[in-house]
Amino acid sequence: DRAAAAEALDDEALGMAVRLEEQRAREQGINSVPSFIFNGRYIVPGAQEPDVFVATLRRVAELAETA
């Protein structure tokens, strides 16, 4: 609702949390929206076809099994 949105925009703690997340994203090389991070390490930037996500998820699962 409008009042909750206005309150969130004025919330300093929430603003700080957002800025920290933005900084973390930049440090990880994220420079497009959307960006998807799998297993905290693997980034798929931008809008992709479903087969890209399938291949990425399979590869991440393979890597997790061998770790």
Side-chain angles (χ1 to χ4, degrees), residues 25-46:
R26 281 190 302 274
E27 289 170 355
Q28 291 181 327
I30 295 173
N31 56 16
S32 63
V33 175
S35 289
F36 301 89
I37 303 172
F38 296 95
N39 207 22
R41 300 179 59 180
Y42 308 99
I43 299 173
V44 175

Side-chain angles (χ1 to χ4, degrees), residues 7-27:
E7 186 177 323
L9 290 171
D10 291 334
D11 185 334
E12 286 295 322
L14 183 57
M16 177 63 82
V18 169
R19 287 188 292 279
L20 288 172
E21 285 296 314
E22 290 172 334
Q23 179 181 348
R24 188 175 78 150
R26 281 190 302 274
E27 289 170 355

